[in-house]
Amino acid sequence: MSRLWRDQIQVFLAPERIDLVRLARGFKPVQAAKITALCQRIQGVPAWQAAVQNLEKNLTDVAGTELTITLSNHFVRYVTLPPQAEIATPEEVKSYATFRLREIYAERIDSWNLSVSEWNPVNGAICAAIPRDLMTQLEAMAARHQCKLKEVEPYLASVYDHWRKLLSGNTLFFAVIETGRICIAILSNGIWYSIRNQRILHGVADELLAALDQEAIFFGNKEAIELVYVFAPEHPALTLPKNCGWNIVPIPTDQIPVLPHYPSVVADNAGMDQCPA
């Protein structure tokens, strides 16, 4: 089978849900129905374990397909890599990323796989780290089902890359919100300044506002009214208080459509695939 004509399986993998879409390849890809499978976390095992098991249960008749997995920010740790003119080779970039992560997470990074965005000595890059055991299980699962694991990508990076051409401003505040987690990035003149990836413990709007205010203080240069691009498909009614100093700019999905496997509001759990704890 020609690689050009392989069906595509696109998956969003989160602690308590998976979203799976199959696209039949051709001159115009045809989308099959989207599967959303809910799953409760299993006590005593990594947060991603139940989701991986649920994904494998829903991988049927996928031999010869290409599999792309977008990982929830719950499973990813990020660090920015500020520009360094003297860093040029891939080995130097990897050492730089390892050093930056170890400063924050210490010996925990020894069990993670690191992935660095395209490095530029002028603009720097970002590094994403995921559990090595998670990556190993995804690779083994793809091999068992005879499909090609084309890409494993973090949610924040996937959303940013998808709409980056339509995001404007010398200073860019960018937030991706999913169930239980907020991820906020700041870019200044094309340089990644910071990434905050935190759990939601209370109300989404309150925690988003508090996190934005804190990040603006760290950044040190906030306008009276600042704009923040927000992608929050699981929270379509999200708003911030008036006169709070922030205005939400929705991601321009009318110009570039949302990728079909991204999560959305679950309107009715009845009849959906359920995975017991």
Side-chain angles (χ1 to χ4, degrees), residues 140-158:
M141 179 182 62
R144 283 193 298 273
H145 291 271
Q146 300 179 359
C147 56
K148 177 181 174 58
L149 185 57
K150 180 182 178 183
E151 186 175 19
V152 176
E153 56 184 357
Y155 193 23
L156 173 72
S158 176

Side-chain angles (χ1 to χ4, degrees), residues 3 20-21 26 45 53 67 78 80 82 111 132 147 165 176 186 200 274-275:
R3 182 177 183 274
L20 184 151
V21 171
V45 301
Q53 292 174 1
L67 178 62
Y78 298 97
T80 58
S111 62
R132 186 170 298 120
C147 56
K165 294 181 180 179
V176 176
I186 303 176
I200 298 172
Q274 298 284 334
C275 174

Side-chain angles (χ1 to χ4, degrees), residues 12-274:
F12 177 78
L13 191 75
E16 298 174 353
R17 70 183 290 164
I18 67 163
D19 294 270
L20 184 151
V21 171
R22 183 166 185 150
L23 299 174
R25 293 303 299 269
F27 289 109
K28 186 175 182 179
V30 178
Q31 178 184 328
K34 179 176 180 176
I35 296 172
T36 296
L38 304 182
C39 185
Q40 296 179 355
R41 299 191 193 188
I42 302 173
Q43 295 297 323
V45 301
W48 46 264
Q49 190 68 60
V52 172
Q53 292 174 1
N54 208 3
L55 172 58
E56 181 148 24
K57 186 174 66 173
N58 283 277
L59 283 179
T60 58
D61 191 25
V62 296
T65 63
E66 285 187 343
L67 178 62
T68 297
I69 299 176
T70 301
L71 290 179
S72 159
N73 290 318
H74 284 275
F75 304 144
V76 186
R77 296 296 176 263
Y78 298 97
V79 69
T80 58
L81 304 180
Q84 296 285 346
E86 65 274 16
I87 294 178
T89 69
E91 293 76 15
E92 290 171 339
V93 173
K94 183 177 180 180
S95 295
Y96 182 30
T98 301
F99 171 76
R100 290 276 294 165
L101 277 165
R102 195 173 294 279
E103 280 188 311
I104 302 171
Y105 299 105
E107 69 278 357
R108 282 183 287 172
I109 76 165
D110 295 335
S111 62
W112 295 346
N113 276 7
L114 277 55
S115 177
V116 180
S117 64
E118 184 177 355
W119 169 256
N120 184 319
V122 176
N123 294 326
I126 61 172
C127 175
I130 67 171
R132 186 170 298 120
D133 288 347
L134 170 57
M135 192 66 193
T136 299
Q137 287 204 23
L138 293 176
E139 291 171 341
M141 179 182 62
R144 283 193 298 273
H145 291 271
Q146 300 179 359
C147 56
K148 177 181 174 58
L149 185 57
K150 180 182 178 183
E151 186 175 19
V152 176
E153 56 184 357
Y155 193 23
L156 173 72
S158 176
V159 172
Y160 176 76
D161 288 343
H162 191 57
W163 282 288
R164 63 185 301 175
K165 294 181 180 179
L166 302 182
L167 308 181
S168 60
N170 292 332
T171 299
L172 184 66
F173 290 86
F174 177 72
V176 176
I177 303 173
E178 58 183 294
T179 297
R181 187 156 290 264
I182 292 174
C183 196
I184 299 173
I186 303 176
L187 293 90
S188 179
N189 297 312
I191 298 173
W192 291 91
Y193 177 80
S194 68
I195 299 177
R196 171 191 287 248
N197 187 12
Q198 68 179 49
R199 289 185 298 168
I200 298 172
L201 300 176
H202 305 289
V204 176
D206 289 342
E207 296 212 18
L208 173 61
L209 179 57
L212 287 170
D213 283 342
Q214 290 172 12
E215 287 300 302
I217 290 172
F218 296 148
F219 183 62
N221 186 24
K222 182 184 181 300
E223 300 294 334
I225 301 294
E226 200 71 73
L227 303 179
V228 53
Y229 285 97
V230 173
F231 184 66
E234 296 172 87
H235 302 276
L238 175 64
T239 59
L240 291 177
K242 293 181 179 180
N243 304 318
C244 69
W246 295 91
N247 284 340
I248 289 179
V249 180
I251 293 293
T253 57
D254 55 331
Q255 299 179 56
I256 299 179
V258 174
L259 291 177
H261 68 291
Y262 282 172
S264 56
V265 175
V266 179
D268 183 2
N269 293 351
M272 296 183 66
D273 185 14
Q274 298 284 334

